[in-house]
Amino acid sequence: MNFELTEEQKMIQDMAGKFAEREIKPAAAELDRTHDHPKKIVAKMGELGLMGVTVPEEYGGAGMDYICYALSMIEISKACASCGVIMSVCNSLYNFPVYAYGTEEQKQKFLQPVAGGQAIGCYGLTESGAGSDPAKMRTIAVLDGDEWVIDGVKKFITNGNVADYCVLAAVTDKEAGYKGISSFVIDLKNTSGFKVGTLEEKLGINASGTAELVFEDARIPKENLLGQPGEGFKQMLTTLDGGRIGIASQA
């Protein structure tokens, strides 16, 4: 077996490393001190294809493999762990489920802006008392005509304070346990009944915001369901597998 990197893999490693050394490293300490979201840096990362490394070019991404993703994550995270985790969440926890389970229309609307770096995505899973055990999830989504009505609070959501879009897990069938969880993709900026709650104080990685997502009778279109009802838990497991690639690379 040949473990030598391909020319494409070497190229993105070199490009990400030079960009991180030149653009990110000089700003990293100040970003951590001020807790400011690195908006301009993230936009430049998007222009370089780093916010959608494995997403096909037709949806705004770079169309590269997961080795390219891991190599570029390492280089960015060497300079700034906050920039690394913002990149990881967009690539792994947001882009992956929208690409893997979304319709063509959903990919065009919700994937392309994030993979291209024009918008930020997040993943709404964790709740108070429902982190390691999603079956205890209390956020619910009820179908009312042509809309889903969502109520609940998500906690510790990376990018939650700045995200434009969210992949959200919610209970659609209370009697079905794990099989009653479904996933939705949400335009947070244009959803009535949604607000950003508490912004957490952390001991590090401060330029990456960690926030509550609060939904109170929030209404989203019926077609924002990701996949089929009840498929959310299965989607969640594969999405978190990809997330581990990103965070392991960051570490």
Side-chain angles (χ1 to χ4, degrees), residues 3 5 7 22-24 31 43 45 66-67 95 99 112 116-117 120 122 126-127 134 146 153 155 173 178 190 195 209:
F3 289 98
L5 297 179
E7 289 305 311
R22 182 180 69 251
E23 302 278 351
I24 301 178
L31 287 170
M45 288 166 63
Y66 273 86
I67 295 176
N95 289 347
Y99 177 66
Q112 202 157 18
I120 299 291
C122 70
T126 303
E127 298 180 9
D146 290 332
V153 179
K155 286 186 169 288
D173 184 347
Y178 290 106
N190 294 292
K195 66 179 180 180

Side-chain angles (χ1 to χ4, degrees), residues 161-209:
N161 60 317
V162 295
D164 301 280
Y165 303 112
C166 175
V167 170
L168 181 83
V171 176
T172 50
D173 184 347
K174 294 181 181 179
E175 308 302 320
Y178 290 106
K179 295 181 179 180
I181 297 173
S182 302
S183 296
F184 302 86
V185 60
I186 302 176
D187 180 350
L188 296 176
K189 304 294 187 185
N190 294 292
T191 295
S192 61
F194 164 75
K195 66 179 180 180
V196 176
T198 302
L199 184 61
E200 303 294 342
E201 286 289 334
K202 301 180 296 185
L203 297 177
I205 317 186
N206 289 316
S208 164

Side-chain angles (χ1 to χ4, degrees), residues 214-227:
V214 181
F215 297 89
E216 297 175 336
D217 291 326
R219 290 180 172 268
I220 63 171
K222 180 179 179 180
E223 57 267 24
N224 284 27
L225 178 71
L226 202 57

Side-chain angles (χ1 to χ4, degrees), residues 29-229:
E30 182 68 7
L31 287 170
D32 202 62
R33 186 184 68 79
T34 60
H35 298 204
D36 288 342
H37 173 68
K39 184 176 180 179
K40 291 182 180 179
I41 289 174
V42 172
K44 290 180 181 179
M45 288 166 63
E47 292 172 5
L48 295 173
L50 296 175
M51 301 305 289
V53 180
T54 64
V55 174
E57 293 181 25
E58 64 188 290
Y59 300 118
M64 296 183 176
D65 61 24
Y66 273 86
I67 295 176
C68 289
Y69 173 42
L71 291 170
S72 56
M73 268 294 303
I74 290 168
E75 296 302 321
I76 297 301
S77 300
K78 282 180 187 178
C80 175
S82 294
C83 292
V85 78
I86 292 167
M87 174 181 165
S88 178
V89 167
C90 286
N91 274 274
S92 294
L93 299 186
Y94 180 84
N95 289 347
F96 173 80
V98 178
Y99 177 66
Y101 307 114
T103 63
E104 182 63 26
E105 184 179 353
Q106 287 172 338
K107 292 174 189 177
Q108 295 289 345
K109 183 176 180 179
F110 296 111
L111 178 57
Q112 202 157 18
V114 176
Q118 293 91 38
I120 299 291
C122 70
Y123 187 53
L125 171 60
T126 303
E127 298 180 9
S128 177
S132 300
D133 185 4
K136 294 181 180 178
M137 190 178 297
R138 293 195 293 267
T139 297
I140 61 169
V142 177
L143 189 60
D144 180 22
D146 290 332
E147 296 179 314
W148 291 95
V149 183
I150 300 174
D151 286 279
V153 179
K154 297 296 183 177
K155 286 186 169 288
F156 309 122
I157 306 305
T158 303
N159 295 349
N161 60 317
V162 295
D164 301 280
Y165 303 112
C166 175
V167 170
L168 181 83
V171 176
T172 50
D173 184 347
K174 294 181 181 179
E175 308 302 320
Y178 290 106
K179 295 181 179 180
I181 297 173
S182 302
S183 296
F184 302 86
V185 60
I186 302 176
D187 180 350
L188 296 176
K189 304 294 187 185
N190 294 292
T191 295
S192 61
F194 164 75
K195 66 179 180 180
V196 176
T198 302
L199 184 61
E200 303 294 342
E201 286 289 334
K202 301 180 296 185
L203 297 177
I205 317 186
N206 289 316
S208 164
T210 304
E212 285 184 328
L213 306 181
V214 181
F215 297 89
E216 297 175 336
D217 291 326
R219 290 180 172 268
I220 63 171
K222 180 179 179 180
E223 57 267 24
N224 284 27
L225 178 71
L226 202 57
Q228 298 299 317

